[in-house]
Amino acid sequence: MQGPLKNLMKQAQQMQAKIARVQEELKSREVEATAGGGMVAARVNGAQELLEIRIEREIVNADEVEMLQDLVKAAVNEAMRKSREMV
């Protein structure tokens, strides 16, 4: 029984190492999505981490904060979807 159990443990360790490598690789892969005709952009990595949000100055208007919030949310959600798809 020692042999099969030892072999199983070795396979588990190899699998953990492979998962760790894939997770590191995903952190280095990035996707970007935009909303509002490119006025708002979100960049996300393969680990589902939001890396950057860019907002063009001309879209910033104190009277239209809700629209800006909606565009940010749309860009982030689309970037997250692309990231999950990439994974």
Side-chain angles (χ1 to χ4, degrees):
M1 197 67 166
Q2 184 79 17
L5 184 58
K6 187 176 181 180
N7 193 23
L8 185 61
M9 291 298 289
K10 184 177 178 181
Q11 287 176 346
Q13 289 172 337
Q14 289 172 340
M15 183 63 79
Q16 282 181 319
K18 185 175 182 178
I19 289 170
R21 281 193 310 272
V22 168
Q23 287 173 332
E24 281 304 309
E25 179 185 329
L26 288 173
K27 281 185 178 182
S28 69
R29 296 183 69 187
E30 300 175 3
V31 294
E32 182 172 293
T34 62
M39 300 302 282
V40 175
R43 193 167 45 95
V44 174
N45 68 14
Q48 312 290 292
E49 297 170 330
L50 180 61
L51 302 174
E52 178 185 26
I53 292 181
R54 286 188 322 276
I55 301 171
E56 297 295 328
R57 282 191 174 286
E58 52 267 19
I59 199 166
V60 178
N61 179 340
D63 296 329
E64 297 181 1
V65 171
E66 288 180 6
M67 180 190 70
L68 180 57
Q69 291 169 340
D70 289 343
L71 291 174
V72 169
K73 183 173 70 172
V76 170
N77 284 335
E78 179 63 11
M80 290 294 202
R81 184 195 65 73
K82 285 182 174 183
S83 177
R84 284 189 301 273
E85 189 175 279
M86 177 180 58
V87 171

